[in-house]
Every structure is written in structure tokens, then in C-alpha cells.
Amino acid sequence: DLTPYVAEIEDEIRALCDLRFTQSELDYLRSWRFFKSDFVDLLGLFRLDQRFVQVRPITGSRGEIDIAITGPWLHTILFEVPVLAIVSEVWNRRTYPTADFSEGRRRLAEKVARINAVADPDFRIADYGTRRRFSRAWHEELLRVLTDRLGTGPTGQFAGTSNVLYAAQHGLTPM
């Protein structure tokens, strides 16, 4: 039931809309050969606008909410992943206030062992889990574990992450 969390989700979206790219983040993006300087300059001015997002309970449903993101593509396309991450994190924070990370670590160790057991030297995995993550802290721990236990680069089994901020912070390949 997400309806008790509508106000908290809206608060998190409001905080998201207050974020701006830092100069170091813009410099990182500018270092990629496929981003034109004009695009990175635009990102330096860009901000998400909360007026394009509506969050409301669905009347007559069993705890479902409706999140509508409507407006010009330029102002709406970048909401998808962070809004889904917000919903996931708010729900997890409220549902599991004292999460058992030892169980998560046990499961992750099992999965890493299964990946390491794959004989194909070309087998690699990548992280695309930002929108479904349990929490920011767990996501970063997951990336550290995958980097340490699978390795990166041409011989590693961990190809990188779709989370560009984490890619920059942890020296991973952005996917």
C-alpha cells in the first residue's frame, strides 16, 4: 500500500528538482567523446520541474498510486529512473525500517559465486538496478562487492553500471 507515502514521495521529488549538476559532474560528462559541449552546457542550466509530475492515490484501489509525468519531452524524460528509485526507496524504508543486510549480503555472495563459476571468459554482467534499488547505501555496497569480487576492465566480469554518478565516483564504465 503506497497511499500513506504519497506526501513523502512528493517531498522526495521536490528535493530531486532542487538538484543541479556540479562542475565536476559536468567536467566528467564533457570528457566523454560522444557528448557535445553544447549538450553538457545545457545540462549545467537544466533542472527538473516538479510541476510536470503528479502523484496521487488511485480511488477505489487497494493502495495503488498513480504517478503521471506529462509535459514536453525535454522536461519529462529524465524523471523516469529517479522517480522509480524514490518510490522503491520510500517503500523499502517504511516497510523494512530495520533491514537485515546480512541476508542481502549472503544472497549477493551466492550470486557472485554463481557468476564466478561461469566458464565462458566472455561472460559479463552490468548493473541496471537504480530504479529498483533497495536504498542508495545498498546500491553502493552492491557495486563495491561486484567490483571487488568480479573485477572490471577487459578481464573482469563486471562491465559497469547505468548509474552515471556511481560510475564516475567508483571508476566504473557507465552503461
Side-chain angles (χ1 to χ4, degrees):
D1 182 359
L2 291 170
T3 58
Y5 313 128
V6 167
E8 187 173 356
I9 291 167
E10 289 174 325
D11 287 344
E12 294 279 350
I13 292 171
R14 192 172 5 271
L16 170 68
C17 292
D18 286 339
L19 295 175
R20 301 292 178 277
F21 283 97
T22 66
Q23 189 59 51
S24 63
E25 291 166 344
L26 294 170
D27 291 343
Y28 174 74
L29 294 175
R30 200 177 306 281
S31 73
W32 294 7
R33 63 177 167 30
F34 51 84
F35 280 144
K36 293 188 178 204
S37 184
D38 288 350
F39 178 71
V40 177
D41 290 341
L42 172 68
L43 290 177
L45 301 171
F46 184 79
R47 63 177 272 240
L48 293 168
D49 189 334
Q50 188 176 5
R51 69 187 163 121
F52 296 116
V53 182
Q54 292 181 346
V55 182
R56 66 182 197 284
I58 298 175
T59 306
S61 74
R62 294 184 169 192
E64 294 178 337
I65 63 174
D66 178 57
I67 300 176
I69 303 170
T70 55
W73 181 84
L74 171 66
H75 294 286
T76 59
I77 189 65
L78 295 177
F79 271 112
E80 178 188 358
V81 172
V83 168
L84 290 170
I86 286 169
V87 171
S88 182
E89 290 190 48
V90 166
W91 186 81
N92 284 316
R93 183 168 54 229
R94 296 301 182 181
T95 305
Y96 305 103
T98 55
D100 182 3
F101 287 102
S102 62
E103 175 62 14
R105 289 180 187 110
R106 184 192 66 74
R107 291 180 185 189
L108 180 56
E110 283 180 2
K111 291 178 184 193
V112 166
R114 289 176 59 194
I115 292 166
N116 280 327
V118 173
D120 183 350
D122 294 327
F123 179 76
R124 300 181 74 177
I125 67 161
D127 163 55
Y128 290 92
T130 299
R131 69 182 70 204
R132 298 174 284 286
R133 69 187 184 189
F134 181 84
S135 69
R136 179 182 176 120
W138 177 251
H139 196 174
E140 287 196 87
E141 182 170 339
L142 169 95
L143 293 174
R144 279 193 301 274
V145 168
L146 294 178
T147 299
D148 292 346
R149 296 188 189 161
L150 298 179
T152 61
T155 60
Q157 290 178 292
F158 184 47
T161 178
S162 66
N163 188 306
V164 178
L165 179 64
Y166 288 160
Q169 290 175 343
H170 298 282
L172 299 170
T173 301
M175 309 297 287

